[in-house]
Amino acid sequence: MKKIIYGLLTAIILTSVSSCEKDNIWGDGLPEYEHVYYVGFYKSIKFDYYVTFEIAANGATQWREGSSTTNGTWEALDENNAVNVPLEFHSERVRSYDAVSKLWVSSATLVAGTDYSLSLEDGSSLTSESAGVYSLTWKQAKKGIQKVKVKRLTANTGDIKFYTLDPSKPVNSNDLTTLVNNKTSEYEIDALSADFAVNATAGYAVTNSKMLVSFK
């Protein structure tokens, strides 16, 4: 009986070791993606929907999401004269370095610093580095959400567009280099493109993901 029990215990131990060895072969993924992260606008599970914020002349604020920038159900916001544009950083690591993503902001009629101001959640001003390009720092490359506050300063009307990729460069879903938001010697941040356009000939075409803030 002792021999039988010993044999059974040995078989169980060997089986456990064998199972562990099989699990260990998976590792943590490809080394070239070890320091690659993703940034995008925080939206709902309806990932293909456009999101629009609006600040009225009297300071009232609202937002909506729909299949285009012209449809959807408006929902009132509590804060007056300002809205918060949320961005999400996707990461499953904690690093010794901080990761910095880029944000492109443009408007055909409104001027930053004159018609509107941008700030971070802690109240600090967000200053343009050059031609409407801003930086967001993600401490220790930890995943999370940051909100950029847009405050209306004048009665001027117009739209402000926020992009996670340089709007002056075309996006090609077959060329991953066109989806790079920022790249340094330590890490790479790619942008998640969540918007699309439909063309009768080409079908679905990925576009540069953006959010719109409208001053009415």
Side-chain angles (χ1 to χ4, degrees), residues 62-184:
Q62 57 184 354
W63 79 287
R64 70 179 177 186
E65 61 178 354
S67 57
S68 75
T69 56
T70 58
N71 66 16
T73 301
W74 287 106
E75 294 185 32
L77 295 169
D78 295 331
E79 190 168 2
N80 288 328
N81 216 45
V83 295
N84 296 294
V85 176
L87 290 103
E88 185 172 17
F89 185 73
H90 300 263
S91 169
E92 297 301 327
R93 298 285 189 270
V94 177
R95 301 299 189 188
S96 59
Y97 56 77
D98 296 337
V100 177
S101 65
K102 300 297 181 180
L103 179 66
W104 287 262
V105 182
S106 66
S107 176
T109 58
L110 301 173
V111 180
T114 300
D115 297 310
Y116 66 93
S117 65
L118 301 178
S119 62
L120 299 175
E121 290 179 272
D122 61 5
S124 60
S125 297
L126 198 57
T127 305
S128 174
E129 300 171 2
S130 62
V133 182
Y134 299 82
S135 291
L136 292 177
T137 300
W138 307 90
K139 295 293 185 181
Q140 295 182 288
K142 293 180 181 179
K143 65 182 177 182
I145 296 173
Q146 290 194 56
K147 296 178 181 179
V148 175
K149 176 174 286 188
V150 184
K151 185 175 182 180
R152 185 170 187 167
L153 303 178
T154 68
N156 293 334
T157 60
D159 296 330
I160 308 170
K161 296 178 181 179
F162 292 75
Y163 298 87
T164 53
L165 289 171
D166 187 346
S168 66
K169 298 178 180 179
V171 176
N172 184 349
S173 59
N174 295 316
D175 182 359
L176 297 181
T177 62
T178 66
L179 300 178
V180 175
N181 172 282
N182 189 30
K183 186 174 183 179
T184 72

Side-chain angles (χ1 to χ4, degrees), residues 19-101:
S19 298
C20 290
E21 288 176 350
K22 288 181 180 179
D23 291 338
N24 287 340
I25 64 173
W26 290 100
D28 289 329
L30 298 175
E32 58 265 38
Y33 294 109
E34 178 69 15
H35 295 274
V36 176
Y37 312 100
Y38 300 89
V39 67
F41 293 112
Y42 180 76
K43 300 185 180 181
S44 71
I45 57 173
K46 302 173 182 177
F47 67 95
D48 58 348
Y49 274 26
Y50 292 84
V51 175
T52 303
F53 294 92
E54 183 181 282
I55 304 177
N58 63 0
T61 57
Q62 57 184 354
W63 79 287
R64 70 179 177 186
E65 61 178 354
S67 57
S68 75
T69 56
T70 58
N71 66 16
T73 301
W74 287 106
E75 294 185 32
L77 295 169
D78 295 331
E79 190 168 2
N80 288 328
N81 216 45
V83 295
N84 296 294
V85 176
L87 290 103
E88 185 172 17
F89 185 73
H90 300 263
S91 169
E92 297 301 327
R93 298 285 189 270
V94 177
R95 301 299 189 188
S96 59
Y97 56 77
D98 296 337
V100 177
S101 65

